[in-house]
Amino acid sequence: MYKVLLIEDDETARKQLAKYVQKERFEVISAENGRVGIELFQSEHPHIVLTDLKMPDIDGLEVIHTVKRLSPETEVIVFTGYGEVDTAIAAIREGVLDYLKKPIDLDILSLALGRAKEKINMRHSDNVVPHILLAEDEEIPRIRLKRVLEKEQWKIFDVANGEDAVSLFSHTKIDIVLLDIKMPKIDGLEALHKMREINDDFEAIILTGYGDEQSAIQAMRDGALSFLRKPVDLDQLILSIEKAIEKLSGDRALKYRTRELELARQIIAQITEEEDVIINIHKTIVEQAMNFAQRLLDSIPMSIIVIKRDLTLIYINKSMLDMIDFTPEKIDEKLLDNLKRIGIKDISIKQITDSIDILFNAHGRVETIKTGTYSFITLTLITIVGEVKENYVLMAVRGERLP
């Protein structure tokens, strides 16, 4: 279990957040101010730090600097109040993973914690154990199923009715739900509805007896992944759960990439609002160009190309080259076709040229083209000053699948 250090000076908020983070399957250590937080960080060595930005004595920025100096790999998430968003975005450019506006949206907090856990897992090659809720009112089949599923090294919670299933779901982070259609107190369909109202970050598999097929089909319309007839074929059940785990992992990864895009867009917008993005090649070309590239590439988790207005490429970064596996000379159909491999599907040359025209003619700061359910291309103007002053377009690409 990963350890989270929560630093929040408001006692009520601190207790509520600690309870929610525990529900998300993290161990929580709480601190009432930045000074105590730093002391706990040095003694407890948490994997993740959640900290308010505005606190008496030692503020959140000092906490961030101390944490990153002592342990650069520690993931940091900040809370920010009204008027502090620019500071939060600046903190992200310096290595903070995410920021959440107050009052805190718990779904966004869950997303941020998920992203942090994903990064830690990738560094340490840790295996994540899925948590599965089994709701079955017949005791003997329930015990049998639980024993079989536990042999797969999954964490199993079992209950005998729909009401207990919803109650457990509301207090525990559950990944996969196995729901019998017919149960006392609350049936499977109603339990599924109530769970969806609590959160949508899970997959459901319905267990149905003879004659309950219509209810099972309705459950699938309501978001269940599949249904299995009773008596349950154990091999088929395990296969269905494995598919559900795979789908849930993929959906979560897409949500994480979408959040990264959102943060990247805000960073680009902040940079371009602070000042025009200008590279002067009359003097100190190497220093200025490298500083500019570092500023963007370090803070934007996606592939980048720079093009002229006529779609000719003048720069392409390694991330993009690795994805397409060839060196294009301009934005053309061949390049767009290669981008389909990473989920950039619904995109045309016309969409790109229209967005570029808006940037040049309306002096827009940022244009975004939605290219799939979770994929986007973000465009912004940059200016290079040499013998003449010339505008170019920087394109940041985020696909639905990681390269």
Side-chain angles (χ1 to χ4, degrees), residues 62-110:
E62 188 171 345
V63 170
I64 293 165
H65 294 150
T66 302
V67 167
K68 286 297 182 181
R69 175 173 54 81
L70 296 174
S71 176
E73 287 192 348
T74 299
E75 301 297 343
V76 181
I77 300 165
V78 300
F79 308 138
T80 160
Y82 178 77
E84 299 171 348
V85 173
D86 285 349
T87 303
I89 294 174
I92 288 174
R93 286 161 58 181
E94 295 184 11
V96 168
L97 179 72
D98 209 335
Y99 79 93
L100 288 76
K101 297 178 184 177
K102 292 184 173 182
I104 292 170
D105 184 322
L106 295 179
D107 288 337
I108 302 298
L109 175 57
S110 177

Side-chain angles (χ1 to χ4, degrees), residues 46-205:
H47 302 89
I48 303 168
V49 173
L50 306 180
T51 182
D52 195 357
L53 273 182
K54 192 172 182 179
M55 295 183 292
D57 192 13
I58 295 178
D59 66 13
L61 285 179
E62 188 171 345
V63 170
I64 293 165
H65 294 150
T66 302
V67 167
K68 286 297 182 181
R69 175 173 54 81
L70 296 174
S71 176
E73 287 192 348
T74 299
E75 301 297 343
V76 181
I77 300 165
V78 300
F79 308 138
T80 160
Y82 178 77
E84 299 171 348
V85 173
D86 285 349
T87 303
I89 294 174
I92 288 174
R93 286 161 58 181
E94 295 184 11
V96 168
L97 179 72
D98 209 335
Y99 79 93
L100 288 76
K101 297 178 184 177
K102 292 184 173 182
I104 292 170
D105 184 322
L106 295 179
D107 288 337
I108 302 298
L109 175 57
S110 177
L111 202 61
L113 290 169
R115 289 179 59 218
K117 186 162 62 175
E118 179 190 60
K119 289 180 178 293
I120 297 168
N121 290 339
M122 289 175 65
R123 283 197 293 268
H124 300 285
S125 300
D126 292 338
N127 292 321
V128 179
V129 177
H131 282 43
I132 298 174
L133 170 57
L134 168 62
E136 163 65 69
D137 63 315
E138 295 184 49
E139 184 177 4
I140 293 177
R142 185 176 71 251
I143 293 173
R144 174 172 170 262
L145 288 175
K146 183 179 180 181
R147 286 175 179 170
V148 169
L149 297 179
E150 285 178 334
K151 291 179 181 179
E152 299 296 318
Q153 306 303 312
W154 297 327
K155 177 69 174 177
I156 310 299
F157 301 85
D158 65 300
V159 295
N161 60 71
E163 189 176 272
D164 288 348
V166 174
S167 177
L168 191 147
F169 183 90
S170 67
H171 294 94
T172 307
K173 178 73 171 180
I174 296 295
D175 301 304
I176 309 297
V177 175
L178 306 178
L179 282 173
D180 192 2
I181 279 287
K182 289 186 176 179
M183 291 186 292
K185 297 185 178 179
I186 297 177
D187 65 23
L189 277 178
E190 187 176 352
L192 180 60
H193 289 154
K194 290 181 179 294
M195 290 175 184
R196 291 292 183 200
E197 290 173 359
I198 295 170
N199 78 68
D200 202 35
D201 186 33
F202 71 98
E203 292 294 337
I205 298 171

Side-chain angles (χ1 to χ4, degrees), residues 8-32:
E8 168 62 66
D9 60 316
D10 184 295
E11 183 179 3
T12 301
R14 187 171 65 250
K15 288 181 178 179
Q16 290 175 343
L17 288 170
K19 184 177 179 181
Y20 182 80
V21 175
Q22 286 173 333
K23 177 189 172 185
E24 291 288 300
R25 304 200 299 257
F26 294 90
E27 178 185 348
V28 181
I29 308 160
S30 296
E32 65 271 23

